[in-house]
Amino acid sequence: MEGTQVIWMVKKSGVTISEIGEDGEDVNRDSHRSSGYVAHRERTEESNKEGLQDVISSLTFTPSISKHQNISITCKILCDGKVKEKTFQHKRLYAKPTAPGPIKLSLTNSGEVLCSLDIEGFYPSDIQMKWNDKTSEQKKTYQNSDGTYSVHSEYEIPGRFFSHSDSVVRVSWKHESMEDWESREMSVRDKEFPWKANVQDIKVPNLLIGREAVLKCEVSNVFPDVLTVKWLKKEKGGQDLLPVVNSQTYSISELRPEKQKNKTFTYKLCLKFKPSDEGAEFICRVEHPTLEEPTEKSTGPLTIKDEESLIVGEIQGPRRWIHKEKVALYCSVSYCSEDTQVMWMVEPTHGRVEEIFNNGEDLLTDFGYMISKETEKSDKEGLLNITSLLTLIPSVSKHVGVIFTCKITSEGQTKTKEFQAKSICG
């Protein structure tokens, strides 16, 4: 009948700890204790008995492991001076596990790959885990402050496992709160795979007719330790790529891995020859499971010079830059004296030319510059070959249209070379 009142009660071990009235009605002296519960009169309508009504009331809340253990819910109805109660007791309380991140990979000292995954926020504590359909024994389960559980699971696989691009490591888990198994996968082609072969630009030295030159193709961050590197040649004006092999004309070094501190490998493949073909181009082609397709780096058409006292090559480096992705520019100087001075300068689109100084730190900071130098003896007594390196982190706001200049002064001679990026992508 009219005036029916519904009160919801939350009880723990038989003791009422919270009372919730419909649609904001405050029936609890400690009203803050009812936070998280919403009682609502869903419907009131005439019943099939004259003068009476049918009432539907709902209580909405989000279950919590820490809050709802041993909890019962009672609906108390007050109508025409009469009181009736109905109690609901849940049979089981569950929290469904979640995997907040991808599979993590790391390298062991022995060259194995340690795979791990964290599963969080489940209840009760029992959970099944499998790696590549094998039951995981290496897992550590711990309880969280909210009463739920988390697990850290590990699995070790051989380093050669990822030698094939279609190799996949899979971890699956099953909890009684779930209808079916869930899983995560990782392959060498996934963006989260921590190691991607990095093919560096080829440094082209100053080339002189009849004097031996060395081109170096370097690949870093290599894992797994499976790599194919080839030298190719394109004749001036041609389009065909011709394989370069050891011969009387060319000498190619043996491809050997160098293990780095981070347990990945670096490879260097050197090509020695005496320049003779003006405008020819040499290409280094690298194949690795982490690369979707072979990566190529080119020298560009070679410029060969007659012998002279001081030779300054063109500034080399990528012409297309990516915002906040490190860039390196090279300038090679041949047959210079020990007192040779190398100065890098930058000319903004609208502004005066400024000399670039090292930022004084070992690590390159955002939008800063770092200058380094490699020096070696030349084949002329008393003279040196110098390669000056300018490293920077480009900015769309700072470096669009900027011109970089390398100025070399040696024994009264001064030569300059300029470089400008074609584009910077944000």
Side-chain angles (χ1 to χ4, degrees):
M1 61 183 300
E2 291 184 6
T4 299
Q5 185 182 9
V6 179
I7 299 174
W8 291 87
M9 296 181 292
V10 181
K11 298 182 179 182
K12 186 168 187 176
S13 301
V15 179
T16 300
I17 60 172
S18 188
E19 294 184 356
I20 307 99
E22 292 179 311
D23 300 317
E25 182 184 350
D26 184 9
V27 297
N28 195 328
R29 293 178 182 177
D30 295 328
S31 60
H32 70 279
R33 297 178 64 187
S34 63
S35 63
Y37 299 96
V38 177
H40 177 61
R41 179 70 61 92
E42 297 287 345
R43 187 168 70 246
T44 300
E45 58 187 21
E46 297 294 327
S47 76
N48 57 8
K49 290 185 179 182
E50 186 177 353
L52 299 180
Q53 294 178 327
D54 293 336
V55 173
I56 297 179
S57 180
S58 66
L59 179 69
T60 305
F61 61 97
T62 301
S64 164
I65 298 299
S66 60
K67 190 176 179 180
H68 292 105
Q69 292 282 16
N70 304 316
I71 287 293
S72 63
I73 306 293
T74 297
C75 183
K76 182 179 179 180
I77 300 97
L78 298 87
C79 179
D80 196 21
K82 297 178 182 179
V83 178
K84 286 191 177 183
E85 295 183 356
K86 293 292 182 179
T87 298
F88 176 85
Q89 177 71 56
H90 63 81
K91 291 183 179 180
R92 297 294 300 273
L93 189 60
Y94 298 104
K96 189 176 179 180
T98 59
I103 296 172
K104 295 180 180 179
L105 305 179
S106 60
L107 297 177
T108 68
N109 291 328
S110 59
E112 308 292 295
V113 180
L114 182 64
C115 313
S116 66
L117 184 73
D118 291 305
I119 304 291
E120 299 178 354
F122 56 91
Y123 185 89
S125 61
D126 289 339
I127 190 169
Q128 301 176 63
M129 297 199 70
K130 294 181 179 180
W131 287 90
N132 285 4
D133 296 326
K134 296 179 181 179
T135 301
S136 171
E137 303 296 338
Q138 297 185 54
K139 62 179 182 179
K140 180 182 179 182
T141 304
Y142 53 92
Q143 191 167 22
N144 303 310
S145 59
D146 63 356
T148 62
Y149 291 87
S150 295
V151 64
H152 177 79
S153 179
E154 295 183 346
Y155 181 64
E156 200 169 275
I157 56 177
R160 62 181 182 277
F161 178 84
F162 288 112
S163 296
H164 301 285
S165 58
D166 56 353
S167 297
V168 175
V169 60
R170 178 184 298 105
V171 57
S172 307
W173 62 94
K174 179 71 169 66
H175 186 258
E176 55 187 301
S177 63
M178 301 162 51
E179 293 184 2
D180 202 356
W181 288 80
E182 294 185 10
S183 63
R184 287 277 192 279
E185 294 183 349
M186 178 72 76
S187 74
V188 294
R189 296 292 171 81
D190 288 331
K191 63 179 182 180
E192 292 89 0
F193 192 77
W195 310 290
K196 295 287 185 182
N198 179 30
V199 186
Q200 300 183 17
D201 293 325
I202 301 171
K203 296 181 184 178
V204 181
N206 292 316
L207 302 178
L208 299 177
I209 294 177
R211 291 190 177 273
E212 187 176 84
V214 179
L215 300 177
K216 180 172 66 176
C217 183
E218 184 171 334
V219 189
S220 58
N221 204 40
V222 176
F223 190 87
D225 186 20
V226 178
L227 192 74
T228 300
V229 184
K230 297 178 181 177
W231 281 104
L232 306 169
K233 182 181 179 181
K234 183 191 295 185
E235 299 289 356
K236 181 179 180 179
Q239 294 300 320
D240 295 335
L241 294 180
L242 308 174
V244 179
V245 297
N246 275 308
S247 62
Q248 292 182 347
T249 304
Y250 302 107
S251 174
I252 302 175
S253 65
E254 185 177 348
L255 187 64
R256 292 181 179 178
E258 298 177 8
K259 196 167 186 177
Q260 306 300 308
K261 291 182 180 179
N262 65 355
K263 302 181 182 66
T264 64
F265 296 89
T266 293
Y267 284 83
K268 296 177 184 178
L269 190 66
C270 295
L271 171 65
K272 292 183 180 181
F273 67 108
K274 290 184 178 181
S276 59
D277 300 335
E278 176 82 15
E281 186 175 346
F282 288 90
I283 294 98
C284 178
R285 176 182 290 172
V286 177
E287 298 178 36
H288 189 260
T290 61
L291 302 174
E292 293 186 8
E293 56 185 22
T295 296
E296 295 182 351
K297 293 291 183 178
S298 171
T299 61
L302 297 181
T303 300
I304 305 173
K305 300 181 179 180
D306 293 328
E307 188 170 337
E308 53 182 282
S309 58
L310 178 66
I311 303 173
V312 179
E314 298 297 329
I315 297 176
Q316 301 173 56
R319 292 283 178 176
R320 301 186 186 278
W321 295 355
I322 298 177
H323 179 68
K324 296 189 73 173
E325 187 171 300
K326 187 168 67 174
V327 167
L329 303 179
Y330 305 89
C331 186
S332 297
V333 186
S334 299
Y335 305 123
C336 56
S337 61
E338 291 185 2
D339 61 354
T340 297
Q341 295 182 348
V342 180
M343 178 189 301
W344 285 89
M345 294 170 289
V346 58
E347 183 179 355
T349 307
H350 302 288
R352 61 186 181 84
V353 177
E354 298 176 358
E355 184 177 351
I356 297 174
F357 297 94
N358 266 329
N359 57 22
E361 301 177 3
D362 291 335
L363 296 177
L364 184 63
T365 57
D366 282 2
F367 314 139
Y369 300 99
M370 188 165 62
I371 300 172
S372 59
K373 183 173 68 173
E374 296 178 3
T375 303
E376 62 180 7
K377 292 181 179 180
S378 74
D379 55 3
K380 287 188 176 182
E381 187 176 351
L383 297 181
L384 304 173
N385 294 334
I386 295 175
T387 300
S388 183
L389 169 65
L390 173 65
T391 307
L392 66 142
I393 297 180
S395 161
V396 171
S397 62
K398 184 177 178 181
H399 291 113
V400 172
V402 164
I403 298 174
F404 289 90
T405 301
C406 185
K407 179 180 179 181
I408 295 90
T409 303
S410 178
E411 294 185 332
Q413 297 184 68
T414 298
K415 295 188 177 184
T416 59
K417 295 292 181 178
E418 292 185 348
F419 182 94
Q420 185 177 30
K422 290 183 177 180
S423 63
I424 303 179
C425 300

